[in-house]
Structures are given as C-alpha cells and as structure tokens.
C-alpha cells in the first residue's frame, strides 16, 4: 500500500487555490522547479495526470477528486498538529484596504488563510486609499493596502506591489465615442487617485467634464454606471465582467498606470501578521 506525503498534497492544493505554480512556490518557500517536481512526483504515485496542461491550470477528473480529498486530509492533519502540539498560530490583525480591492481578491485570500490558520482574526477597514494611508500612519493598522500613482523607481520588495492599468468603465458607448457635452463622471470623493487621474487627463486633452455622482461605496459607483449616469475609471483587474471598459476612445484619452501596494512596519509584525502578509502577497500577485 502506497502513502501520499502530505507535503505533496499541500503543494497541489496551494497551486489550485492560488492559480499558479509560481505563486504557490512563493507562499510555500519553494522554487517553481521544485513545485513542478512535487506535482510530477504526486502524479507518479497516483499514476495519473491531475492538471490539464494548457493556458490555464484546469484539473482533470482525477484532479478534481484529489483536490476535494486532499483538502479534507490536510484539514485533519492541521487540526491534529494544532491540538496535540498546542502551538497553533492565533492573533488579531488590523488591515486597511481600498474599497474596490476588498472585493477583488481579499475574500479568496482570507479563505485560503483561514484554512491553514483558522485562529487568526483579520479586522478589515475599507476606505479610499488616501484615508487608508492617513490611518496607517496613525497606527490604526498592522498592514495597509493602498493605491497610489505609479512611481518611476519603486525600491520596495517586488512582492509588495503591482502596477495596474486604468480603464474607462461605462454602460452606454455613446458616452465614450464622440460625446459633445461635458463628459459625466462617476467617482469616489476628493482624494481618490482614480478621480484625480480622470479629471487631470481630461483637462490635459481639453475634454470638458463634470462630476455627476460621487459615492464612498463601490456598489454605489457600479450602480451609477449601470444606470447610465456617467462613466468612471478603475484598475483593470477589478472591473466586473458585466461592465464595458476600454483603455481609450475618440472622446477619452489613455490613463496613466497606478500602483497598488502593501504597507507595514517589518519590525512590528507578529507571527499572525506575517502569515497574513504572505497570503496578501499571493493574492496581490494573482488578482
């Protein structure tokens, strides 16, 4: 009777949850070749293919079965170790995050975190990035995620930020294609990076505009766009599939890129905060 090493199962489940070999390797502290070798070894033990090789990491029928079974095995494994050794990681982590990125990747990142560290509690505060950074400086958060204009030289750890393209988001194509009247804009309040970039870009290209609707709620922004009240701009990776979007048009110029990045004080991070940071880094890389 053969046994399946739990480290191979954990690697497999992590690849599936994070959507890639590289991101799984970053989280597990292994190189991409080492991760690939573990998958190969797992397939050899089971004498089957678990991934459909192609443009995306889809599971075979055997892979789907293995994924569900592996999650249960790992959960039991982790529960046993936590109970007997009594050293399960616990703690509370205060996190500040922009409204749109709260929906974009945070639920998945926290779901993955809770599977491994169920006793870590994450308190999430959602606001526009300007407010998030102000509160972070005052010590409100252990970790903050904020959006800013892209810097020419960013010396931070490459895992702590990603550059994003901004695109125009709209419902009615007439609003972005040869619109004669002042372009109606939908935005977060003053201080939002999206808002500043939209306004400055249109002014630079001599396109008259006016703010028709302002809201601190992401759902409010989406609802206003869906009702045809105007257009907005948003990082490409967080635009819902049901909304139209474009990098530019006859009436709208191309927008500059933004940077979404993590802020934390390395020396002040406890064990729980470091684990949360690892999962946020993986989530940020796989939006």
């Amino acid at each position: 009777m053969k046994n399946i090493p739990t480290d191979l199962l954990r690697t497999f489940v992590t690849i599936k949850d994070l959507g890639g070999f590289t991101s799984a390797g970053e989280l597990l502290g292994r190189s991409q070749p080492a991760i690939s070798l573990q998958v190969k070894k797992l397939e050899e033990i089971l004498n089957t293919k678990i991934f459909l090789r192609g443009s995306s990491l889809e599971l075979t029928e055997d892979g789907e079965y293995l994924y569900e079974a592996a999650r249960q095995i790992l959960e039991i494994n982790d529960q046993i170790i936590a109970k007997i050794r009594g050293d399960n990681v616990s703690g509370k982590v205060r996190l500040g995050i922009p409204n749109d990125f709260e929906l974009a990747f945070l639920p998945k990142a926290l779901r993955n975190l809770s599977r491994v560290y169920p006793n870590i509690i994450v308190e999430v505060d959602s606001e526009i990035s300007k407010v998030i950074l102000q509160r972070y400086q005052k010590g409100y958060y252990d970790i903050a995620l904020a959006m800013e204009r892209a810097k020419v030289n960013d010396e931070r750890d490459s895992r702590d930020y990603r550059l994003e393209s901004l695109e125009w988001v709209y419902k009615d194509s007439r609003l972005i294609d040869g619109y004669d009247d002042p372009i109606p804009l939908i935005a977060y309040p003053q201080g939002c990076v999206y808002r500043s970039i939209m306004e400055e870009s249109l002014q630079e290209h001599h396109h008259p505009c006016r703010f028709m609707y302002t809201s601190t709620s992401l759902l409010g922004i989406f609802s206003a766009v869906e009702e045809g009240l105007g257009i907005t701009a948003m990082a490409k990776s967080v635009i819902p599939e049901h909304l139209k979007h474009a990098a530019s048009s006859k009436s709208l110029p191309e927008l500059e890129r933004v940077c979404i990045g993590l802020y934390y004080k390395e020396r002040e991070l406890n064990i729980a905060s470091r684990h949360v940071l690892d999962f946020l880094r993986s989530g940020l890389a796989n939006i």
Side-chain angles (χ1 to χ4, degrees):
M1 179 68 68
K2 291 186 177 181
N3 295 312
I4 306 175
T6 53
D7 63 326
L8 300 185
L9 294 178
R10 194 176 302 280
T11 295
F12 165 59
V13 169
T14 304
I15 292 170
K16 173 60 178 174
D17 286 343
L18 299 185
F21 283 60
T22 301
S23 53
E26 291 175 353
L27 180 61
L28 297 173
R30 296 187 177 94
S31 65
Q32 195 273 338
I35 293 293
S36 298
L37 189 61
Q38 285 192 306
V39 171
K40 182 179 180 181
K41 186 174 181 180
L42 182 58
E43 290 180 329
E44 289 175 349
I45 291 174
L46 297 173
N47 193 29
T48 189
K49 293 293 183 182
I50 55 180
F51 284 111
L52 291 172
R53 299 304 195 265
S55 58
S56 62
L57 287 174
E58 296 183 15
L59 298 179
T60 63
E61 185 175 347
D62 286 340
E64 293 285 357
Y65 172 78
L66 177 63
Y67 176 70
E68 295 302 326
R71 284 179 54 189
Q72 296 176 37
I73 293 171
L74 292 173
E75 184 176 347
I76 294 172
N77 175 84
D78 295 342
Q79 288 174 351
I80 292 172
I81 292 176
K83 184 169 182 62
I84 294 178
R85 292 183 54 174
D87 60 354
N88 192 35
V89 177
S90 63
K92 181 174 69 175
V93 180
R94 300 166 301 166
L95 172 66
I97 189 168
N99 296 343
D100 41 353
F101 279 85
E102 180 186 16
L103 294 178
F105 83 98
L106 189 59
K108 182 177 180 180
L110 294 186
R111 181 191 67 198
N112 294 335
L113 173 75
S114 66
R115 289 176 180 170
V116 183
Y117 303 107
N119 293 325
I120 294 180
I121 300 171
V122 182
E123 291 187 352
V124 180
D125 184 26
S126 180
E127 255 291 357
I128 63 173
S129 291
K130 181 179 180 180
V131 175
I132 292 295
L133 287 174
Q134 290 172 344
R135 291 177 180 173
Y136 170 73
Q137 294 299 334
K138 294 178 181 179
Y140 282 35
Y141 310 125
D142 301 300
I143 303 172
L145 185 71
M147 181 179 295
E148 301 171 283
R149 294 190 173 202
K151 302 173 184 177
V152 176
N153 295 308
D154 201 321
E155 298 179 352
R156 286 180 290 176
D157 188 318
S158 60
R159 296 174 297 172
D160 288 340
Y161 70 95
R162 65 177 286 157
L163 297 178
E164 283 276 342
S165 298
L166 287 189
E167 293 202 352
W168 298 99
V169 184
Y170 58 95
K171 179 182 179 181
D172 190 341
S173 299
R174 290 175 297 179
L175 293 176
I176 71 163
D177 193 9
Y179 196 69
D180 295 327
D181 296 329
I183 297 172
L185 300 179
I186 299 168
Y188 288 116
Q190 287 282 358
C192 171
V193 175
Y194 291 157
R195 182 186 181 113
S196 299
I197 291 176
M198 277 195 297
E199 188 173 24
E200 292 174 17
S201 182
L202 289 171
Q203 289 176 349
E204 182 181 343
H205 289 81
H206 307 291
H207 293 309
C209 62
R210 56 176 175 165
F211 287 94
M212 293 292 295
Y213 185 89
T214 298
S215 175
T216 58
S217 165
L218 177 62
L219 294 179
I221 297 291
F222 287 160
S223 296
V225 173
E226 290 167 357
E227 292 298 326
L229 296 181
I231 64 173
T232 191
M234 199 163 288
K236 185 176 180 180
S237 65
V238 302
I239 301 173
E241 293 181 359
H242 68 280
L243 290 178
K244 299 177 182 177
H245 54 95
S248 62
S249 73
K250 291 181 180 179
S251 299
L252 302 174
E254 188 173 343
L255 299 168
E256 65 183 80
R257 292 199 296 176
V258 293
C259 174
I260 179 74
L262 291 160
Y263 286 83
Y264 55 90
K265 296 179 176 65
E266 178 70 34
R267 295 182 179 179
E268 297 180 13
L269 292 179
N270 57 28
I271 295 176
S273 298
R274 291 183 185 279
H275 286 306
V276 172
L277 177 62
D278 287 339
F279 278 84
L280 290 174
R281 282 171 166 172
S282 295
L284 194 61
N286 291 280
I287 297 176

